[in-house]
Amino acid sequence: MAGNFWQSSHCQQWILDKQVLMKDRQTDLEILTEEEYQKCMIFYAGVIQALGEQLKVRQQVVSTATIYFKRFYSKNNLKSIDPLLMSPTCLFLASKVEEFGPLINSRLISACQSVVKKLPYAFSGQEFPYTIKSILECEFYVLEIMDCCLIVYHPYRPLIQYASDLGQEDQLLPLAWHIINDSLRTDVCLLYPPYLIALASLHMACVISQNDHTKHWFADLNVDLDKILEITQQILKLYDLWENYDEKKEIASVLAKVPKPQTIPPPSTSVATSDSQSSGKGTV
């Protein structure tokens, strides 16, 4: 693990440019609107969260898995590998990287079956269609696309430091922590360093709780306030979407628009983003 964030692969390889991200997403956006794409990402982040709760893993494992999921689809379209397979694969890998310990194969598949059954409005009562072999093979593709850059720096640690510096742990920390978890449903974890996400979440917590005692502390910060504003706007946009979004009524039609992957990938074919290559990829 790198000694600090600035020397890490997270900083050097996985803070993406927004224009590049949107360009790489273009294949999916020819089929889905931006809002539908976000609803799809929100849904599968919820699937990962539900799997994590079913398996009783730490929140950091769930957060790392969600970022792996978003990293994969930042470089690949949704047709490349079924997101329903990618979700447990990312959690399986994150549990090992975050030293929670590898998940027992039978428990993982059982959790997948349980979560799918709890979402009949999305999956029409179907069974979880994959085996542990599928997950292990999918894990290889995740490692390949991420170039084995597995260490993720989260905003939680800087958030704790900032709240302690403010002397406002009890008042602000729980709400800001919750906002960070919500931010995983947006692209901010792909676009901004974790300390800025922590500051934006803390500032939002101050505003929501009407805490005016932190104004001078924020004014004295030597950071790019425009970036904090951009992060805040993305999270607020998520909350606006949630306010008018009924997942149980809408997600089935969104998922139905996503092209289904090939079922069997040919030998020695790498996961790629273009349509010409995606015909050789699959759900493994």
Side-chain angles (χ1 to χ4, degrees), residues 208-220:
I208 293 169
S209 60
Q210 298 182 330
N211 189 322
D212 295 329
H213 303 296
T214 59
K215 288 182 178 179
H216 293 299
W217 186 86
F218 278 100
D220 291 337

Side-chain angles (χ1 to χ4, degrees), residues 78-150:
L78 291 168
K79 184 181 177 181
S80 61
I81 291 179
D82 187 351
L84 183 57
L85 173 58
M86 184 58 61
S87 300
T89 300
C90 290
L91 192 70
F92 183 69
L93 179 58
S95 70
K96 293 182 282 187
V97 173
E98 295 294 349
E99 298 181 349
F100 179 81
L103 299 173
I104 297 172
N105 294 351
S106 58
R107 282 192 65 219
L108 178 59
I109 296 299
S110 177
C112 292
Q113 292 169 343
S114 176
V115 168
V116 166
K117 286 179 181 178
K118 290 177 182 177
L119 299 169
Y121 57 87
F123 299 118
S124 303
Q126 74 179 66
E127 297 285 330
F128 181 70
Y130 301 105
T131 65
I132 192 63
K133 180 181 177 182
S134 304
I135 291 173
L136 292 172
E137 292 178 355
C138 185
E139 184 182 42
F140 168 80
Y141 287 113
V142 178
L143 290 169
E144 181 182 21
I145 204 67
M146 293 200 304
D147 195 24
C148 294
C149 299
L150 302 179

Side-chain angles (χ1 to χ4, degrees), residues 1-17 60 63-68 70-71 74-75 97-98 146-156 158 180 183-184 187-198:
M1 182 173 182
N4 61 63
F5 169 75
W6 304 108
Q7 297 173 350
S8 69
S9 60
H10 184 157
C11 176
Q12 296 176 9
Q13 294 178 242
W14 286 104
I15 300 296
L16 308 179
D17 179 83
Q60 184 151 326
S63 299
T64 297
T66 306
I67 291 175
Y68 288 170
K70 295 182 77 68
R71 284 181 178 181
S74 73
K75 303 294 185 183
V97 173
E98 295 294 349
M146 293 200 304
D147 195 24
C148 294
C149 299
L150 302 179
I151 300 301
V152 174
Y153 285 77
H154 292 286
Y156 304 116
I180 285 174
S183 76
L184 292 167
D187 288 332
V188 298
C189 60
L190 298 174
L191 301 174
Y192 302 95
Y195 80 96
L196 286 179
I197 299 172

